[in-house]
């Protein structure tokens, strides 16, 4: 992983999305602990805690997705790809990123459609009546940011004549 | 069947070319599903998998166990563990390597990752062994290999993922690892003893600690035992669900790290971000794997495989040996977690059809993929130890893992021969 410049936009991007992923995770940690304590000490579990955790899980995953993608930390095998050098390597990065972009694009598009379907169906959680549509839109938004990250990585690969290993 | 085979070939082609495995499986899964049922159902299935998989309370068990591992690492408990083990067995020939195996096993009881265990113990154990003149092969090989105990002894992140993917009770999975985990620890100890018997100069004895000193050093392990007792005691005492025990474990590890003044606000955030990133990485692979698994199921491949295996009349042991052989080969080529996520949806129905218990199969799979952590060219534990000790050639570390690989394979063989090693503890529940 190439470290982002400690003051540059890449670093700020990582920090911002890192916080957006850390906050719901901290909420899950705290809610789980408090819920158990309240249940055993006061026989009064936190109302709707599982629904809040459900939402926080989706936010944790999708807020971290652009950072994982920017830092090229997705699990890949790449045995054949390690054998190529020079222009072939650049082409390989472009093709792999292009394929990743198609997969992410599909996911983004369908999450958007799903969000609109939730608006129509007014799907919500049972206890707290939290609407699923806003959550799906936020997930779609983070997925869209991830698509932009991959697109920018492809542009940088095209511009760079050296190894494009570094993240955008 | 043909379509499913083409799908598998495509996934491997894309993955080996460098496309992230998650996206390879996702695209091939959607494409294959669309071929069989049409584009609209395929795309709807994709969105549903992503929504159901991510906005899911039960899935929070995974980031909580990951977070617990990070906080445990932050708390620097490994050094105390190693010192305690060293005080008891360090005076034996090869004693520091024995101490490494024992402290890895205990550390594994509060950490769910083999890479984290290998990285932590690498920092703590290799220096003292090198200072005492241990061979690099034994010192690094023992750390890299004993690191695999991190996922066999509960809590185990790969076992949690197996449980979530296959809807298998995580409590049962954890308790089923007790005997295999202890057995593997014993086999590793025997491996060290045999290595030292063959090459006595590889591990010189250290100074003998007094009984008073040994007792004093044991005080250093109280935090580990307390955390393990809270998580596992709560889980099996019926106090917490698996999800809650993971959350309590993470909070407990954080409190221990705070009590030891090892955590600041910025390192706390750093660990949360780290856990968030690992969670995202694993979940994206799971979205891909579940989409791909839907396609494989729809293609009828599993049914054909089951019929084929039945026609061979090889029985459960034959099926397990065949699957083990596949894991040995693929383990050399693929990262362990992705290997498990890719293969379990196909292998589990075949195993169940052959009369194999899904709990037993989970333990078997985790033991097999962990062997891949030690085999070249992509043995992740070996690379972890190498990254912490850049001056030691990678070939030396791989050489050092050979006796432990034999131990690993012997433990798998024992498990196949005696499934009760995993299944007997289920009666305790």
């Amino acid at each position: 992983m190439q470290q982002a410049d400690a003051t540059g936009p890449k670093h700020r991007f990582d920090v911002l999305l890192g916080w957006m992923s850390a906050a719901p995770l901290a909420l899950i940690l705290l809610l789980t602990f408090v819920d158990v304590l309240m249940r055993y000490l006061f026989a009064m579990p936190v109302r709707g805690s599982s629904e809040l955790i459900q939402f926080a899980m989706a936010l944790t995953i999708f807020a971290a997705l652009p950072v994982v993608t920017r830092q090229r930390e997705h699990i890949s095998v790449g045995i054949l790809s390690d054998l190529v050098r020079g222009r072939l390597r650049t082409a390989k990065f472009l093709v792999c990123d292009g394929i990743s972009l198609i997969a992410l694009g599909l996911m983004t598009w369908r999450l958007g459609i799903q969000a609109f379907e939730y608006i129509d169906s007014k799907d919500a959680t049972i206890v707290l009546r939290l609407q699923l549509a806003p959550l799906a839109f936020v997930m779609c938004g983070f997925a869209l940011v991830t698509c932009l990250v991959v697109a920018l990585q492809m542009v940088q690969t095209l511009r760079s004549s050296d190894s494009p290993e570094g993240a955008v | 069947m043909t379509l499913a085979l083409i799908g598998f070939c495509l996934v491997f082609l894309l993955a080996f070319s460098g496309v992230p495995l998650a996206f390879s499986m996702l695209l091939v899964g959607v494409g294959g599903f669309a071929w069989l049922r049409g584009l609209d159902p395929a795309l709807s299935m994709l969105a549903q998998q992503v929504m159901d998989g991510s906005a899911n309370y039960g899935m929070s068990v995974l980031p909580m166990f990951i977070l617990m591992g990070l906080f445990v690492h932050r708390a620097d408990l490994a050094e105390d563990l190693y010192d305690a083990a060293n005080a008891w067995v360090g005076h034996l020939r090869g004693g520091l390597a024995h101490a490494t195996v024992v402290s890895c096993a205990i550390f594994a009881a509060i950490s769910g990752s083999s890479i984290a265990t290998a990285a932590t113990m690498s920092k703590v154990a290799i220096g003292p062994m090198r200072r005492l003149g241990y061979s690099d092969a034994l010192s690094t090989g023992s750390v890299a290999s004993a690191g695999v105990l991190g996922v066999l002894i509960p809590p185990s992140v790969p076992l949690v993922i197996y449980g979530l993917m296959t809807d298998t009770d995580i409590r049962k999975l954890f308790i089923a690892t007790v005997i295999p985990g202890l057995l593997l620890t014993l086999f590793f100890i025997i491996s060290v003893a045999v290595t030292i018997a063959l090459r006595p100069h590889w591990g010189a004895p250290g100074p003998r600690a007094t009984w008073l000193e040994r007792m004093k050093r044991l005080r250093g392990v109280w935090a580990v035992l307390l955390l393990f007792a809270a998580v596992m005691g709560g889980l099996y005492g019926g106090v917490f669900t698996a999800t809650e025990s993971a959350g309590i474990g993470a909070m407990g590890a954080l409190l221990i790290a705070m009590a030891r003044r090892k955590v600041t606000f910025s390192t706390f955030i750093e660990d949360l971000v780290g856990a968030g990133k690992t969670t995202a990485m694993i979940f994206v692979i799971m979205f891909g794997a579940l989409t791909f698994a839907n396609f494989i199921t729809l293609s009828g491949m599993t049914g054909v495989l089951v019929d084929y295996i039945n026609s061979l009349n090889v029985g459960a042991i034959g099926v397990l040996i065949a699957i083990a052989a596949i894991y040995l080969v693929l383990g050399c080529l693929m990262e362990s977690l992705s290997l498990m996520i890719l293969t379990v949806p196909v292998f589990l129905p075949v195993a169940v059809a052959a009369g194999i218990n899904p709990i037993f199969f989970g333990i078997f799979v985790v033991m097999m993929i962990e062997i891949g952590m030690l085999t070249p060219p992509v043995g992740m534990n070996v690379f972890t130890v190498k990254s912490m000790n850049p001056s030691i050639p990678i070939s030396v570390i791989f050489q050092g893992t050979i006796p432990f690989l034999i131990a690993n394979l012997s433990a798998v063989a024992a498990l196949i021969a005696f499934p009760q090693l995993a299944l007997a503890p289920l009666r305790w529940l």
Side-chain angles (χ1 to χ4, degrees):
Chain A
M1 179 191 106
Q2 180 175 307
Q3 289 298 321
D5 179 356
T7 54
K10 295 176 195 172
H11 176 72
R12 286 199 292 272
F13 175 87
D14 285 358
V15 169
L16 177 69
L17 286 163
W19 272 88
M20 290 170 115
S21 162
L25 198 53
L27 180 74
I28 297 174
L29 177 66
L30 196 67
L31 262 180
T32 310
F33 185 69
V34 172
D35 190 41
V36 171
L37 275 190
M38 295 288 283
R39 191 171 72 222
Y40 283 105
L41 295 183
F42 306 105
M44 205 173 64
V46 179
R47 188 170 164 270
S49 62
S50 62
E51 292 177 356
L52 289 171
I53 289 174
Q54 184 184 325
F55 270 54
M57 269 302 293
L59 293 176
T60 298
I61 296 164
F62 276 84
L65 188 56
V67 184
V68 173
T69 306
R70 197 198 72 72
Q71 295 175 347
R72 293 194 184 276
E73 286 186 352
H74 285 294
I75 295 176
S76 57
V77 185
I79 289 176
L80 302 178
S81 69
D82 294 342
L83 302 175
V84 294
R85 291 279 175 272
R87 287 191 173 181
L88 261 181
R89 191 171 173 78
T90 306
K92 173 251 148 190
F93 267 92
L94 281 175
V95 171
C96 289
D97 285 347
I99 293 171
S100 300
L101 186 57
I102 294 170
L104 282 163
L106 271 182
M107 201 161 78
T108 309
W109 172 43
R110 294 312 298 192
L111 277 172
I113 289 179
Q114 187 76 40
F116 282 109
E117 282 176 7
Y118 282 143
I119 290 180
D120 292 340
S121 63
K122 296 188 173 57
D123 274 7
T125 59
I126 296 164
V127 179
L128 299 177
R129 303 300 305 159
L130 298 169
Q131 295 286 321
L132 289 181
L135 177 69
F137 275 121
V138 172
M139 289 164 69
C140 177
F142 281 125
L144 186 62
V145 173
T146 313
C147 288
L148 291 174
V149 165
V150 179
L152 281 171
Q153 280 174 326
M154 291 177 74
V155 171
Q156 191 184 29
T157 303
L158 277 172
R159 282 185 181 164
S160 158
S161 54
D162 301 330
S163 165
E165 200 96 43
V168 168
Chain B
M1 176 76 172
T2 312
L3 192 63
L5 285 177
I6 293 172
F8 263 103
C9 291
L10 270 176
V11 167
F12 282 120
L13 181 71
L14 289 172
F16 287 154
S17 305
V19 177
L21 188 70
F23 303 140
S24 308
M25 289 192 290
L26 194 142
L27 275 181
V28 175
V30 169
F33 201 101
W35 183 277
L36 292 168
R37 282 285 185 275
L39 189 60
D40 254 2
L43 293 171
S44 301
M45 179 268 297
L46 168 67
Q48 208 57 53
Q49 292 287 0
V50 174
M51 278 307 294
D52 291 350
S54 49
N56 187 319
Y57 169 75
M59 295 285 188
S60 66
V61 63
L62 189 62
M64 287 299 102
F65 273 132
I66 292 170
L67 202 53
M68 177 179 164
L70 289 173
F71 289 149
V72 161
H73 182 71
R74 183 74 65 190
D76 250 346
L77 295 167
E79 194 153 2
D80 290 347
L81 272 182
Y82 187 69
D83 284 347
N86 199 1
W88 285 82
V89 294
H91 62 285
L92 303 173
R93 193 167 277 280
L96 266 63
H98 286 303
T100 301
V101 172
V102 172
S103 31
C104 276
I106 302 174
F107 188 78
I110 49 169
S111 167
S113 148
S114 64
I115 291 180
T117 307
T120 307
M121 294 312 298
S122 198
K123 207 167 63 176
V124 172
I126 291 177
M129 282 196 268
R130 293 189 94 183
R131 276 196 294 278
L132 209 60
Y134 272 54
S135 84
D136 285 341
L138 179 60
S139 64
T140 54
S142 61
V143 171
S145 308
V148 304
L149 293 168
V151 296
L152 192 56
I153 295 175
S156 157
V157 169
L159 263 185
V160 169
I161 295 172
Y162 176 88
L164 293 174
M165 282 183 73
T166 60
D167 240 348
T168 312
D169 188 339
I170 290 171
R171 279 179 358 125
K172 288 183 179 170
L173 283 170
F174 279 1
I175 206 157
T177 63
V178 170
I179 298 177
L182 291 174
L183 187 73
L184 189 56
T185 307
L186 178 69
F187 281 10
F188 281 167
I189 288 172
I190 294 171
S191 295
V192 173
V194 171
T195 305
I196 289 297
L198 295 173
R199 293 188 170 85
H201 58 285
W202 272 25
R208 182 186 286 271
T210 63
W211 279 99
L212 184 68
E213 204 174 338
R214 287 176 184 174
M215 291 301 168
K216 268 188 192 166
R217 294 284 170 85
L218 276 184
R219 281 192 309 204
V221 302
W222 70 266
V224 175
L225 297 179
L226 185 70
L227 189 58
F228 181 72
V231 174
M232 293 303 155
L235 184 61
Y236 292 106
V239 183
F240 317 132
T241 62
T243 309
E244 288 170 348
S245 75
I248 296 292
M251 187 57 96
L254 175 64
L255 292 176
I256 290 171
M258 284 167 75
R260 292 167 66 93
R261 298 179 189 281
K262 299 286 185 187
V263 66
T264 61
F265 183 70
S266 68
T267 59
F268 171 64
I269 296 296
E270 198 182 301
D271 288 340
L272 283 174
V273 172
K277 279 166 55 182
T278 307
T279 304
M281 201 175 70
I282 292 175
F283 271 78
V284 176
I285 291 198
M286 278 172 68
F287 300 153
L290 292 172
T291 308
F292 185 66
N294 275 343
F295 154 57
I296 293 296
T297 308
L298 201 63
S299 73
M301 182 193 190
T302 318
V304 174
L305 266 182
V306 168
D307 290 344
Y308 178 67
I309 299 278
N310 286 340
S311 73
L312 289 178
N313 233 352
V314 288
I317 291 183
V319 170
L320 286 171
I321 290 172
I323 293 177
I326 295 172
Y327 275 127
L328 272 181
V329 175
L330 289 180
C332 294
L333 305 173
M334 292 180 73
E335 186 274 333
S336 65
L337 206 57
S338 42
L339 174 59
M340 184 184 84
I341 294 174
L342 176 69
T343 53
V344 159
V346 178
F347 287 159
L348 181 63
V350 174
V352 170
I356 297 164
N357 183 307
I359 304 281
F360 168 86
F361 191 68
I363 312 306
F364 165 79
V365 167
V366 165
M367 287 180 81
M368 283 313 305
I369 59 162
E370 283 310 305
I371 291 175
M373 302 289 281
L374 302 175
T375 48
V378 289
M380 282 306 292
N381 270 23
V382 172
F383 282 98
T384 303
V385 172
K386 166 72 182 168
S387 69
M388 313 282 285
N389 303 274
S391 62
I392 301 174
I394 195 112
S395 54
V396 170
I397 311 179
F398 275 122
Q399 185 198 347
T401 61
I402 292 170
F404 300 96
L405 271 174
I406 296 170
N408 254 313
L409 289 170
S410 309
V412 173
L415 189 71
I416 293 175
F418 306 104
Q420 286 305 314
L421 290 173
L423 297 176
L426 296 179
R427 285 198 289 269
W428 304 340
L429 290 177

